[in-house]
Amino acid sequence: MADARGKAREHAHDRDAGPDGRIRVAIENVGPSVDGGRFAVKRIVGDRVDVETDCFADGHDAVAARVLWRREDEVEWREAPMTFLGGDRWRGSFEVDAPGRYRFTVTAWVDRFLSWHHDLQRRADPDDIRIAALVGAELVEGASRRADGVEGKRLADWAARLRAGGEAVALKSLGLDEALFELANRYPDRSLAFTHPTELTVVVDRERARFGTWYELFARSTSPIPGGHGTFRDVEARLPYVAELGFDVLYLPPVHPIGRAQRKGRNNALSPTPADVGSPWAIGASEGGHKSVHPQLGTLDDFRRLVARARELGIEVALDIAFQCAPDHPYVGEHPAWFRRRPDGTVQYAENPPKKYQDIYPFDFESNEWRALWEELASVFDFWAGEGVRIFRVDNPHTKPFAFWEWAIARLKRAHPGAIFLAEAFTRPKVMHRLAKLGFTQSYTYFAWRNTKQELTEYFTELAQGPGREYFRPNVWPNTPDILTEYLQFGGRPAFMARLVLAATLAASYGIYGPAFELLEARPREPGSEEYLDSEKYQVRAWDLDRDDSLREFIARVNRARRENPALQSDWSLRFFPVDNESIICYVKSTPDLENVVVTVVNLDPYHSQAGWVELDLPALGVDERSPYQMQELLSGARYLWHGGRNYVSLDVTRSPAQILRLRRKVRTERDFDYFL
Amino acid sequence: MADARGKAREHAHDRDAGPDGRIRVAIENVGPSVDGGRFAVKRIVGDRVDVETDCFADGHDAVAARVLWRREDEVEWREAPMTFLGGDRWRGSFEVDAPGRYRFTVTAWVDRFLSWHHDLQRRADPDDIRIAALVGAELVEGASRRADGVEGKRLADWAARLRAGGEAVALKSLGLDEALFELANRYPDRSLAFTHPTELTVVVDRERARFGTWYELFARSTSPIPGGHGTFRDVEARLPYVAELGFDVLYLPPVHPIGRAQRKGRNNALSPTPADVGSPWAIGASEGGHKSVHPQLGTLDDFRRLVARARELGIEVALDIAFQCAPDHPYVGEHPAWFRRRPDGTVQYAENPPKKYQDIYPFDFESNEWRALWEELASVFDFWAGEGVRIFRVDNPHTKPFAFWEWAIARLKRAHPGAIFLAEAFTRPKVMHRLAKLGFTQSYTYFAWRNTKQELTEYFTELAQGPGREYFRPNVWPNTPDILTEYLQFGGRPAFMARLVLAATLAASYGIYGPAFELLEARPREPGSEEYLDSEKYQVRAWDLDRDDSLREFIARVNRARRENPALQSDWSLRFFPVDNESIICYVKSTPDLENVVVTVVNLDPYHSQAGWVELDLPALGVDERSPYQMQELLSGARYLWHGGRNYVSLDVTRSPAQILRLRRKVRTERDFDYFL
């Protein structure tokens, strides 16, 4: 609508009252919003954004409200109707059909025509009805002037007949004519509309931002020759394996030249041998920095080939972006102002007294040359986006300024709206949330340290139902190169299986660090440490993927269940249900239409088999409590017939500590079973 | 501090990031605030405003934060320190010492000096300590430049000694010198501070806005001659009675000339007799309108005398402001544009089809001449403020535009910061809250219709603990001229006593409509109606104040308990405690220091005596669970010795259905009892 254009802006400086004292409508609590509109909410292409608001006026007059929305780069508002929910609450929605940024707000007005119609229904006195007909005629004449052509004419006719007067009963019927009411209602008098001055923002991402299955590996550990240094070509050869396991994101730790100065040896030793390969996070050497590839991995052409070949297999390559430098990174010599100096003239290395990280130079974001630094760092994203990378796992973003991230992420997404940023910040809750608000698409979580039923229930209820879900999208990992939890160190195979199923079914986005995970690697560097022994961070490892005890088939089945069940592909539907055994956790995810309902039960005790009665809320799952229903276990293929809300589950740690059960309704006879046909 | 001036404004258009990318601190969730700062929170003179915020930076550097605050008419910010509470949460406070409007926000910065000090404590390596001393010297030199005279000199000396070097242990001690640390900390480097751009507002009212005891009476019913028309002089004679009952606000329904056109007769009859006096809310006649007094009540001089005489007795006169007109109000002829016309040329009367209120003409706030209308209505407040009135009970504010109230209330309070506005809006919750947000000092409530223990507990918990308490101050009434509840109609004397005690102890501000209340008037106009029979709204009533069954002494005792117990003079401390009898409600109010703790128990069943065990949370009340404590019943004077949290109460409807118990601690021997001495 042309006359809606720019309305929100027009009133922006007048707050609620507007400049015109005749504006009587109030709009409060427009949502979804984050921090009063300071930050965007996040959605996925194809979502409907449900907008709600409190909207009311003084007195008894009827109010009408609409959602105004547009892509951020559009000028004209589009409009969506809002429906009254009761209690002065209204709801409307619009669909976001492309990645990018959208804006919305609410406009509302006191609608004299609606009030007139409402009052007319209740009028009985013939004189009053005749007067009301004349009032109505005037209002309908106004609508007729706002309407075009045929419709304007129809309204003018209606007004004329109302004005003509006559018998009260007939006049009342004429005034209440439903078709004419609908027509006039399409041309309301919005001259005293109020548009809420805060334009709220929606960042719309592609589907992968909501649902993704990540596999992290060190490229240098993929050589077919035991002890050899792997290359991008070797990773290419590994792709079918990754695809077979059901992963769709292959995340590589930094692939840049590795510093030689202050290089760390195996197991983080301070005195390396000449054979030591160093940490990929000690970025930069004479061969180049953040825009170069490590020569031992291959060439940029090899990298491009890898990205392209992965894409053919439905896999996206994600890169690790770690904004820090080895002492021999070219930046150190070329841009001395980007680093802080110590009084002795040396560059300030990273430290957290008494700990020192002399192999890492942090950037000084308080440098007077911060603008040049920001531009250069942003150009690193540009560079890799130019090489076809659209997913970035950002290392320790919480140690770089918030303002930088807000600027850099928005900047890249303007050019590449499909770009995805995963924040690797294991830090305090408010800092993690801040990074998510600023624009990170996904966030690492505390999942690795949530082990008991109560811990998992509380944490995932907060993630799925709390206000943070509007912007904080979890990506959960049972292990990472830095995190080998006690649970995995001591729990053996059942612990790995349980944690995998939890990650894969509690969160629509999850990942593992392999092949350490599927090969059950569980030895810490020292007791009480979460560091791996012989960590790949400091050395090349050779993995025997074909070991009999590998979880590869189990993982493939879990990931297949995820692909085939839309319920597992988003997070907000998660609900936990009671089990009379503290070692067993039970939760459900479902699609909004309840067509796909998946119940997961996991034995959290890796040492003992456990059994118990689970209690489902069947009405909430759309199941008739009086009829039996089928549960298809997606890992084993077994099928169970369940009755009522309360059913028995038994989870044998020697086989599988978890079941992923797809609910199938309306099991009336054996003919309804798939396998009967 | 001079350099804090206008900082909030300076950054207002740059949002959180500020224009300088080196600013690294984030400030979120500054409060108390209402709707993100759109509206003010309310406080009372002498309150401390507790400001909280989330405040943090990237990385591990130390952060410092301060509250900036000022009176709205001041230019310079004042500052208050903020303390770290844990979890990235900070708190600071400032005292508001005069009625009016205040502003506040939060400023914060990454503090290199604090970070340096923190790190130094953990340093062990002698070389590192020597380097750190040089870094510290530079930071202290900066502080020295920001400090004046002697202190600047002391800091410069300290810096010089740090710079001089020496033995590491001694250098570390020097760097950690506490007195010098405190001194340097007073001159932080705030060049990269961030000030939150939203200035939040506090409206500060005088004490009466929080704690007041209201008595409503019809001036015309105060004549000593039965059947005679009372006058302001008669009201003057009634003042000692009102004071004796313990009231400090005397609220008069409209005192203006009453319209003759369409005048209503007794019991709202449509055909009045010439003797009928009409409704005081049908305002305006040939004698004048909203700025005139009804000739039968006396002169403006009489009114002034009444106001002055009341003040001598500690009573404030509150006026009813009802913005509506009788058909013969002078405005109708003088300002035809302020009223809506019907198509037949007549003025549109108030209606809610099929109901008609032909004696009332509402103003048309959508008039093109709304500005003149607003100015005139605002001048009504000016006029009565000029006559010494500072409390206005506003009739049906929810049927006039929100924007008008926000403007009009702010306008009067600029001239008279002590003005109090009570919103008489019995309507939907969000509309009532909106009016409170817009500036009404106090609000009528749903108290009259909350009768059961559950209803009272839920409603008053919401009022005392919910987010609305920042702006919505309840003023609760067991009856009004429009509200004679079923509970009072049928419950007899115990019902009146119970409702009085509930009102007086649940809410710091309450009122009754008398003498109907103390004389137990309970006859409705018709069954099922909440209207009084022979309502004073339409006729003069003569009341026999000296009747034996009057509640005047009981009311005086209740109001004395309120005056003598600060716990009952504010609302936020209210907490309910369990009783094993659904007919008995128990709640506690206390002062923040727990010096004054008042437990109230009320039998909600007016027909039967009830008894039960109440369970107090003694630790929360500051009482040692192992020692007995005394309960002094303030209505009867009786004293009880209670032990532990669980105690028995018995409430006899033939005597008093309620007890107001003041808790006295540390009852060790009979010598501690007041009456022993």
Side-chain angles (χ1 to χ4, degrees), chain A residues 54 59 128 356 368 398 430, chain B residues 22 54 59 128 356 398 430:
Chain A
D54 295 328
D128 286 349
K356 307 178 186 184
N368 288 329
H398 58 295
K430 284 169 187 166
Chain B
R22 297 175 302 165
D54 295 328
D128 286 349
K356 306 179 186 187
H398 59 294
K430 285 169 186 165

Side-chain angles (χ1 to χ4, degrees), chain A residues 15-17 19-29 35-39 54-61 86-89 110 112 119-120 122-125 127-128 131-132 134-135 138 192 340 342-344 346 348-349 351-354 356 365-368 370-371 374 397-404 406 428-431 433-434 437, chain B residues 15-17 19-29 35-39 54-61 86-89 110 112 119-120 122-125 128 131-132 134-135 138 192 340 342-344 346 348-349 351-354 356 365-371 374 397-404 406 428-431 433-434 437:
Chain A
R15 317 238 40 181
D16 284 19
D20 189 328
R22 298 174 302 165
I23 292 175
R24 292 166 48 207
V25 74
I27 298 174
E28 296 186 342
N29 296 320
D35 292 8
R38 166 69 180 83
F39 300 105
D54 295 328
C55 183
F56 48 84
D58 63 277
H60 308 288
D61 290 337
D88 292 317
R89 193 93 184 132
V110 170
R112 282 190 66 195
D119 286 351
L120 182 61
R122 297 182 298 163
R123 288 192 192 277
D125 183 300
D127 285 341
D128 286 349
I131 297 278
L134 294 173
V135 173
E138 196 176 319
L192 297 180
R340 184 164 284 174
R342 307 210 305 167
D344 62 359
T346 59
Q348 178 67 60
Y349 47 81
E351 60 172 349
N352 190 12
K356 307 178 186 184
F365 283 92
E366 291 182 353
S367 161
N368 288 329
W370 63 272
R371 284 183 200 277
W374 282 27
H398 58 295
T399 61
K400 289 93 193 171
F402 301 120
F404 167 72
E406 186 168 28
R428 308 184 309 281
K430 284 169 187 166
V431 176
H433 276 255
R434 179 78 175 189
K437 291 176 189 175
Chain B
R15 318 236 37 182
D16 283 18
D20 188 329
R22 297 175 302 165
I23 292 174
R24 293 166 47 207
V25 75
I27 299 174
E28 296 186 342
N29 297 320
D35 292 7
R38 166 68 180 84
F39 301 105
D54 295 328
C55 183
F56 47 85
D58 63 277
H60 308 289
D61 291 337
D88 291 317
R89 193 92 185 133
V110 171
R112 282 191 66 196
D119 286 352
L120 182 60
R122 298 182 298 162
R123 289 193 192 276
D125 182 301
D128 286 349
I131 296 277
L134 294 173
V135 172
E138 195 175 320
L192 297 179
R340 185 163 282 173
R342 307 211 305 166
D344 63 358
T346 60
Q348 178 66 60
Y349 47 80
E351 62 172 350
N352 189 11
K356 306 179 186 187
F365 283 92
E366 291 181 353
S367 162
N368 287 329
E369 297 187 19
W370 63 272
R371 283 182 201 276
W374 281 27
H398 59 294
T399 61
K400 289 93 194 170
F402 301 119
F404 167 71
E406 187 168 29
R428 309 185 307 282
K430 285 169 186 165
V431 176
H433 276 255
R434 178 78 175 187
K437 291 176 189 175

Side-chain angles (χ1 to χ4, degrees), chain B residues 25-27 53 55-57 61-67 80-84 90 106-115 185 188-190 192-195:
Chain B
V25 75
I27 299 174
T53 183
C55 183
F56 47 85
D61 291 337
V63 161
R66 292 195 189 159
V67 178
M82 298 196 88
T83 311
F84 181 61
W90 294 71
V106 168
T107 191
W109 60 92
V110 171
D111 192 307
R112 282 191 66 196
F113 175 73
L114 283 178
S115 302
N185 217 10
D189 177 0
R190 292 165 62 170
L192 297 179
F194 173 64
T195 299

Side-chain angles (χ1 to χ4, degrees), chain B residues 450-588:
Chain B
R450 296 293 180 271
N451 292 301
T452 67
K453 177 151 79 173
Q454 192 190 333
E455 287 168 353
L456 288 163
T457 303
E458 281 178 10
Y459 188 51
F460 280 89
T461 298
E462 179 199 320
L463 290 173
Q465 309 297 342
R469 75 178 193 175
E470 295 289 354
Y471 55 83
F472 189 98
R473 291 200 193 99
N475 189 329
V476 315
W477 294 68
N479 75 329
T480 78
D482 293 309
I483 304 170
L484 172 64
T485 63
E486 285 204 352
Y487 189 87
L488 294 181
Q489 289 177 32
F490 296 106
R493 184 181 182 82
F496 280 79
M497 294 170 80
R499 295 300 292 181
L500 182 93
V501 171
L502 288 168
T505 56
L506 282 169
S509 294
Y510 92 102
I512 60 171
Y513 151 54
F517 192 86
E518 64 264 29
L519 295 179
L520 309 170
E521 182 68 36
R523 296 166 305 147
R525 189 194 300 164
E526 59 200 18
S529 165
E530 288 195 337
E531 289 275 337
Y532 280 91
L533 179 67
D534 300 333
S535 168
E536 289 183 282
K537 290 197 294 182
Y538 309 106
Q539 69 189 75
V540 173
R541 288 285 296 271
W543 300 99
D544 175 5
L545 303 180
D546 299 320
R547 261 166 45 195
D548 284 346
D549 63 345
S550 170
L551 288 176
R552 62 195 277 185
E553 278 182 38
F554 181 76
I555 294 170
R557 281 199 298 275
V558 170
N559 286 339
R560 184 173 164 186
R562 284 165 51 85
R563 272 198 314 282
E564 294 179 352
N565 288 276
L568 297 177
Q569 296 168 14
S570 62
D571 282 330
W572 291 9
S573 69
L574 181 68
R575 291 185 59 190
F576 292 85
F577 289 111
V579 189
D580 64 351
N581 178 334
E582 267 312 286
S583 295
I584 299 180
I585 193 169
C586 171
Y587 47 89
V588 179

Side-chain angles (χ1 to χ4, degrees), chain A residues 448 451 478 483-499 517 520-532 604-608 653:
Chain A
N451 292 300
I483 305 170
L484 172 64
T485 63
E486 285 203 353
Y487 190 86
L488 294 180
Q489 288 178 32
F490 296 106
R493 184 180 181 83
F496 280 80
M497 295 170 79
R499 295 300 292 180
F517 191 87
L520 310 170
E521 181 68 37
R523 295 167 305 146
R525 189 193 300 163
E526 60 200 18
S529 165
E530 288 195 338
E531 290 275 338
Y532 280 92
L604 302 175
D605 173 0
Y607 307 111
H608 307 95
V653 285

Side-chain angles (χ1 to χ4, degrees), chain A residues 594-608:
Chain A
L594 297 179
E595 272 304 298
N596 185 236
V597 175
V598 175
V599 178
T600 304
V601 286
V602 182
N603 175 3
L604 302 175
D605 173 0
Y607 307 111
H608 307 95

Side-chain angles (χ1 to χ4, degrees), chain B residues 16-230:
Chain B
D16 283 18
D20 188 329
R22 297 175 302 165
I23 292 174
R24 293 166 47 207
V25 75
I27 299 174
E28 296 186 342
N29 297 320
V30 182
S33 79
V34 181
D35 292 7
R38 166 68 180 84
F39 301 105
V41 301
K42 300 196 176 107
R43 292 294 184 273
I44 297 293
V45 168
D47 280 351
R48 287 201 75 82
V49 179
D50 281 320
V51 177
E52 286 199 16
T53 183
D54 295 328
C55 183
F56 47 85
D58 63 277
H60 308 289
D61 291 337
V63 161
R66 292 195 189 159
V67 178
L68 301 181
W69 65 280
R70 58 181 172 89
R71 290 185 54 97
E72 201 174 68
D73 52 12
E74 294 172 340
V75 174
E76 304 265 327
W77 288 110
R78 293 183 243 187
E79 297 195 347
M82 298 196 88
T83 311
F84 181 61
L85 302 177
D88 291 317
R89 193 92 185 133
W90 294 71
R91 182 190 292 150
S93 69
F94 60 96
E95 188 178 317
V96 286
D97 56 5
R101 296 170 70 91
Y102 289 71
R103 296 292 194 113
F104 70 92
T105 185
V106 168
T107 191
W109 60 92
V110 171
D111 192 307
R112 282 191 66 196
F113 175 73
L114 283 178
S115 302
W116 169 82
H117 182 261
H118 178 72
D119 286 352
L120 182 60
Q121 292 171 314
R122 298 182 298 162
R123 289 193 192 276
D125 182 301
D127 284 341
D128 286 349
I129 290 171
R130 274 181 213 106
I131 296 277
L134 294 173
V135 172
E138 195 175 320
L139 296 171
V140 173
E141 279 154 11
S144 139
R145 283 190 294 273
R146 289 184 291 276
D148 288 331
V150 178
E151 294 186 337
K153 181 77 174 55
R154 273 185 71 199
L155 289 168
D157 289 348
W158 187 25
R161 288 164 64 204
L162 286 169
R163 207 173 267 296
E167 202 261 318
V169 175
L171 262 184
K172 182 167 172 176
S173 302
L174 177 65
L176 296 177
D177 182 292
E178 252 186 66
L180 291 166
F181 169 74
E182 294 298 335
L183 181 60
N185 217 10
R186 286 168 47 206
Y187 301 99
D189 177 0
R190 292 165 62 170
S191 56
L192 297 179
F194 173 64
T195 299
H196 197 269
T198 307
E199 292 185 15
L200 300 170
T201 307
V202 187
V203 164
V204 177
D205 293 304
R206 61 194 169 102
E207 178 65 22
R208 177 72 68 242
R210 169 149 67 198
F211 173 56
T213 312
W214 293 47
Y215 188 80
E216 173 176 6
L217 65 70
F218 283 81
R220 68 190 181 189
S221 292
T222 55
S223 170
I225 304 143
H229 194 288

Side-chain angles (χ1 to χ4, degrees), chain A residues 101 374-383 404-417 419 421 438:
Chain A
R101 295 170 70 91
W374 282 27
E375 291 290 346
E376 175 60 22
L377 298 181
S379 77
V380 172
F381 288 113
D382 294 342
F383 178 85
F404 167 72
W405 293 121
E406 186 168 28
W407 172 82
I409 293 171
R411 182 181 170 286
L412 190 76
K413 290 187 85 164
R414 270 196 298 279
H416 304 285
F421 294 82
L438 291 169

